Each structure stands twice: as structure tokens, then as C-alpha cells.
Amino acid sequence: MGRANWNLFVKILVGLLMVSLKPFCFGDTDLRDVAAINALFISLGYPPLRGWILVGGDPCGEKWQGVECVFSNITAIQLSGLNLGGELGSSLGQFESIISIDLSNNHIGGNIPSMLPPTLRSFSLSANQFTGSIPPGLASLTQLMDLSLNNNLLTGVIPDVFQQLNGLNNLDLSGNNLSGPLPPSMADLFSLTTLHLQNNQLSGMLNALQDLPLSDLNIEDNLFSGPIPPKLLGVPNFRKDGNPFNTTIIPSAPALAPSPFALAPVTVGQPTSQTGSGQPFSSGTPESDGASGFFSTRRIMWIAIIGTVIVVALGSCLLVPICLKRRSKHREDTNSADMASKYKPKPTKPPSVAIDDMEKGQRETILKPLDGDRVKDRIMDFTPRLHDRQEANGKRKDASNHTSFRRDDTDISGISDDFLAPPPPPPFPLLSMQEVTKPIVAAEVSSRVPKKPNSSSLKVFTIASLQQYTNSFSEDNLLGRGMLGSVYRAELPSGRLLAVKKLDGASSMHRSDDEFHDLVSNICKIRHDNIVELVGYCAEHGQYLLVYEYCVNGTLYDALHVDKDMHQKLSWNMRVRIALGAARALEYLHEACQPPIMHQNFKSANILLDNELKARVSDTGLAPLLSSSATQSSGRFLPPHGYSAPEFESGTYTYQSDVFSFGVIMLELLTGRKSCDRSLPRGEQFLVRWAVPRLHDIDALSRMVDPSLNDMYPIKSLSRFADIISSCIMREAEFRPPISEIVQELLQML
């Protein structure tokens, strides 16, 4: 064979080897994940899925059907509703980094594997044909957030495996044949909001569920009994029909008070008790009935005599020390009176132990915020009410220039006293001027909180997971940039949307992990219906991120100045409701939290709108970060442009500075203008400066209303709205009303 022919033969042989070995060449995907998905393919019975093969392959590089990857690891398998059969086998536990598995709405049977990947966060096997019991291997899924095993053929009891599943939000076990009582560890599901157990044979009581933060509970068509815990009756969506509940509690018979002389049981006549072996026993002496009765009577007499002696002896022991103590006290009082003329007693300080105890009690109380639903109207004595500042002749004194303004003769000058009834007494002492004007210092709080966030419902995210949820923090998911960093939209594998605030270096470079955990501990205590809730956080590799719930309608700033469709939805009543929601959030921060909290970055871009256009204030509790992120040469932080109160010029920020910023937001709602707009003529660029002289003239006020309202507003409501704005943006902070008074006046406008 010639050399040329030999070279041609070698090339053909190499080519054939490459073609034959192509299925075994692993590309981008981790080899362990490839082996696991090959085994799953075999267990499912070789379904016709695009790209799936028996051995080898590159699921990530070749984009196999239903497979999602991050770098070289398979992170999700989404194969819902594809008419799959077979079983799951035992290969699921071999996946290294899988986060979500969705095999719902298929025909897969067999048992659920006991070995499951501990990285799972969403696991759905609903609407299949799985048999057997729920595997105890669920206990290892400490990151699990969503578990759906409903509409299968599962039997047996629910295993006691929930001790470490503190992040589980949704649990659906409905439509099976489960039996027995609920496991005690269900009480450890501190994040559980949705629980579906309907259409099973479960029995027992519901006590394990009574302290869970449930909003959707369905236990219909089971065998639950006993009284329903009162706390569960407050679950918003609670369905319980089809259970033999006992709604009444039979009180137990009261125990009879024992006689003081009944030292031993007295038997009359022949006893009838028997021993465990069935043989009868007697009292010991075989006497006749008459002798036995005589003996019992004599014993009662002796017991009575002994009891009387004991009572007399005890009384003597108690009376003698009391008499001696009184005599000694009388003697000491006599001696003290004799010494009073010779010596003058010196004043003594309270013992230090009492002071320490008092301070300890304050420390334990100061960090506990009150429930927003129980916030009472709290009017501070040093701040005058709005109607007190209005003169009887219709004039109003403005503290910014101390001149009086008068509207026309129409009776729209202010709010009558009938609308301003005095609030109920506050549930705690009113703050003094020094306490109200004192800023919150992070160091004052951090020493009173643990070094780790102590909220059981708070989730700890990893950088890798947040990168996956935000598509590596892509610009497509960017929601906005602020003074502290950028905010990104994150979508979990379950479809839930979150907002991730990635703190920039300026606000976090000088902070340790302990300081960040202190900050998170304080923020997670802030709970109110008009405040965006903190869902979790991340502190890894010197990076700090805060994860919040997501509001679908964006910010109030965008609704007023960017999104034309949203702008059209903002009717007059809707604007009043948004203002009321923002005011309630401030009221909670200023007057319900202990210690009170100043927002210090209150602006329309930090007021979010949920799906019902309800105001949800963001960036609460982040004031400690502002001093390190946006500083001037004097060392104080820069206020949000256009929202800053005049006292900023002297480096002062008080709770009434938040009220000023709130007044600017109300001006935006009224006019549809930005707080600062450089595109306008020079005299109209700053909203407050332009609006102040127009708020007191009804004609000018009507001309400054947002044109998109098309004059669809009550003129008297407009006047009241302007009154509130005027009081909020007064130059002197002491003339601005407390936020609780503003809440009451906005309520009267609805």
C-alpha cells in the first residue's frame, strides 16, 4: 500500500471514529448531570423529547427540550403536560445544582424517589400516577420553597420531615389518599402561606397550623375533628367544609376541694377492689361489719383531733414571728425619732440595679414595632392643628413669609372642626421635642439586636441564585437606579417576581457583615400594609443585596411622569388614596415603631404601586446607608433633589423633614409636574417655589391642577388637598403638622 493510500485510510478511520463517538463527547454540560439525565431518560421510558438520548450528549450546549442550564450545570427540568410515562427511578439525587423540577400533568407512576437533590427549590409532580408514601427524604430539601404532590395516588401518613423546611411557601398534597394526623413539624413552616390538603383522609386536630402565616388554607373533605383554633378563622381564604369538626368544647367537671382533715381515704364496709391478678384483697384484719364501722369512726375521731392540734401549732408558729417583728419595728421607729433631732439624713440615689433593670426593659421594648393595624392617632402637643392656624376671617398665616392670603368668598378655605375630632389617647407616652427631632443613629440600634437577622420568614439568597433570577443583572431586568444602588427584577423558577436592590460600593464598602446583618434585622421588623416587605437578603464576597416583594405597576414617579397609560388611570380619588397610603406608611414609621424611624429619602420614585394601585413605600430603614453613600464636604448626606426641606441647609433632619417631602409628593399628585424639572422656564423649575403663591388663590389653584384630570374633581376636595400641602411645605419645621393629623384629614376626603 502506497503512502498516499495509507494517509487516506487513516483519515477515513479517524472520521468514522469521530462520528461514532460523537454521542459520547461531553461538551458544555457537567458529566454528573449528563449521567443523571441519561438515567432519567431511561426511567421515563425513552420519551420522544428533542435532543434526549440514552448515553452521553450535551444537554446544555444542545439545548435539550425542557432543560435549562447556568454555565455547565442543569438548573431546571420543565416537562409539564407532555404525556410522559414510566417512573422517576433513582437518578434525581445525582443532579448537582438543579433548582426546579416540573413534571406535572403527565402519567408518571411508581414511587417518589427517596433520594432527592438538596438544591431543589421548586418540585412539582402534581397530576400524575405516583403511588406509595411521601418519602422522608424531603427533610434534606432545606432550600425548598414550592412542593406540589397533589392529584396522585399517594397513601400513608404525612411524614414528620418539615423541621428544616423554613423557606417553604407553598405546599399542595391535595387529591391523594393520605391519612393520619398532621405531623408536629408542620408548626416549623414559618414561611408557609398556601397549604392545600383537601380530598384526603387526614384526621386529628389542626393545632400544628395555628401559628403559621397562612393566607390560603384548604382542608375540605377530610376527617379533621376537634375545635378549630381561633387563629385559623382569621386566614383570608380558609375552606374547611366536609370535616366532622366539633365546634364546642365540653368543660371538664370541677374538681372537689379536698377536706383539710382528709389525710387518708376512709373505707366503710368490705372493699370491692381487686388486684391485677384478679384475686380479691381486704383491709388486712378480718373483722365483722360492726367492728369495722366502729374502727372507722374511731379513726375519724383521731384524725380530727390530730388535725386540730396541727392547725393550732401552725397558727402559733405564724403569729409569734409577726408579733416579734412588730415589736422590733416599733422599737426601731422610736430610736429613729430620737436620732432625728441630732442627725439630718442625706438623700440617697436609687440603687444602680433598679436603673439597670429599667434600662434593660427599655432596650427590650424599644425594638419592637407595633402592629400597623393598631396604630392610633397620635397628636403631639408642640404642633398646632391645621384648623388652629386658620383665622376666623378666612385668612391663613404662612410661616414661610409670615404674610396672609385670602381666597374668594367661597367657603372652601379649610376644614371645619367637625372633621377634626380629637383622636383617642395614644397607647404609649408622647415624645418630647428632643426625642422627635433626634435622628436615628445606626449604632444606637445595632447594640440592641442580634448579629444575625432573627426573622424566621427571611430568606438568605446566594449570589449565584440571584444572578440566575436576574439574568446576570441584565439591563433588560433593570427597574431603576437610586442613591444606594440599582434595582433589578428577579423571576424565581416558580414564576414569582421579586425586586433585588444591589447596593453599590459607596454605600457598603465601609460596612462589615455584622453591620449589614444589624441593618437587615432592623428592616425585617418593619411590617405595614403600605410598606414594601423585605423578603430576603444576600451577603457574599463583600456584596450586599436586599430582596423585596415586587410591585407590578412600578413607581409613582413613572406613573406620573413616564408611563402615559398609567397616568390616565390616576383619577382624583385614586390620587387621594395614594397620598393616604403614603401618609399611613409615614405614620407607622414616625409614631408606631419604637424607636421612631425617619425615612430620609421620601420621594415619588420610592412609592411603588401594586396591582390595585395601592401605595407601597420602599427604602424604609435604609437611612444609615445614606450617610456613607451620598455625602457632602460637611459629611452629611445629600437629600433627594427637589424634596429637601429648608432645614437641610443647616445640616438638620427631623421627622418633620419627612413631612415636607410628603408635601412635595402631594404637589406632584396635584399638578402632574416633577419636583425639579430643568426643562421648564427658570421660574418654574422647582415645584415648591412655583406652587407656594398659587395654593392660596382658588383661580390659580384650578389652573395648576394636572390637565389629565379634565376638571374631574370636587372643588372642595381640591381646596382641602391644597390646605394639607400648604401646611406640609411650610418653611419652619415646627409649623408642619404631625403625620397622624394629615392621615385624619385625608381620610375625610374619601
Side-chain angles (χ1 to χ4, degrees), residues 196-276:
H196 289 177
L197 300 174
Q198 68 270 20
N199 299 316
N200 280 289
Q201 301 295 318
L202 298 172
S203 59
M205 302 180 69
L206 302 175
N207 294 339
L209 308 179
Q210 60 182 345
D211 293 323
L212 302 183
L214 294 169
S215 60
D216 185 2
L217 175 60
N218 191 339
I219 57 170
E220 292 180 332
D221 300 320
N222 278 285
L223 301 175
F224 289 115
S225 59
I228 302 175
K231 293 182 180 179
L232 291 183
L233 297 177
V235 175
N237 188 16
F238 182 26
R239 289 159 287 179
K240 58 183 183 301
D241 295 338
N243 287 278
F245 283 119
N246 177 20
T247 56
T248 60
I249 302 177
I250 302 176
S252 58
L256 296 176
S259 170
F261 303 106
L263 302 180
V266 179
T267 57
V268 179
Q270 185 71 21
T272 58
S273 301
Q274 295 181 349
T275 63

Side-chain angles (χ1 to χ4, degrees), residues 86 88 93 164 227 229 465 473 482 501 515 537 604 657:
L88 289 185
Q164 303 299 322
S465 64
F473 300 100
K501 177 180 283 293
E515 289 176 322
Y537 70 97
S604 60
S657 304

Side-chain angles (χ1 to χ4, degrees), residues 4 178 212 274 298 319-320 338 372 378 521 563 581 613 662 699:
L178 301 173
L212 302 183
Q274 295 181 349
R298 183 173 57 185
L319 290 176
V320 169
D338 294 338
R378 184 176 174 207
S521 294
D563 192 335
L613 295 183
F662 174 75
D699 294 330

Side-chain angles (χ1 to χ4, degrees), residues 17-29:
L17 287 174
M18 291 180 65
V19 171
S20 61
L21 292 177
K22 182 179 179 181
F24 302 93
C25 294
F26 309 113
D28 297 335
T29 312

Side-chain angles (χ1 to χ4, degrees), residues 699-721:
D699 294 330
L701 177 62
S702 300
R703 289 194 297 269
M704 65 188 291
V705 177
D706 189 347
S708 67
L709 290 173
N710 296 320
D711 296 331
M712 300 295 292
Y713 52 83
I715 190 66
K716 194 170 183 178
S717 179
L718 174 65
S719 174
R720 289 177 176 173
F721 205 76

Side-chain angles (χ1 to χ4, degrees), residues 3 55 66 126 161 204 209 212 216 270 303 324 345 355 358 360 378 380 461 498 531 556 687 692-693 698 702 713:
R3 185 176 183 85
V55 180
S126 60
V161 294
L209 308 179
L212 302 183
D216 185 2
Q270 185 71 21
I303 290 173
L324 293 176
I355 296 176
M358 179 178 65
K360 180 180 179 182
R378 184 176 174 207
M380 290 174 267
F461 292 87
L498 297 174
I531 294 179
L556 177 60
L687 182 58
V692 164
I698 188 61
S702 300
Y713 52 83

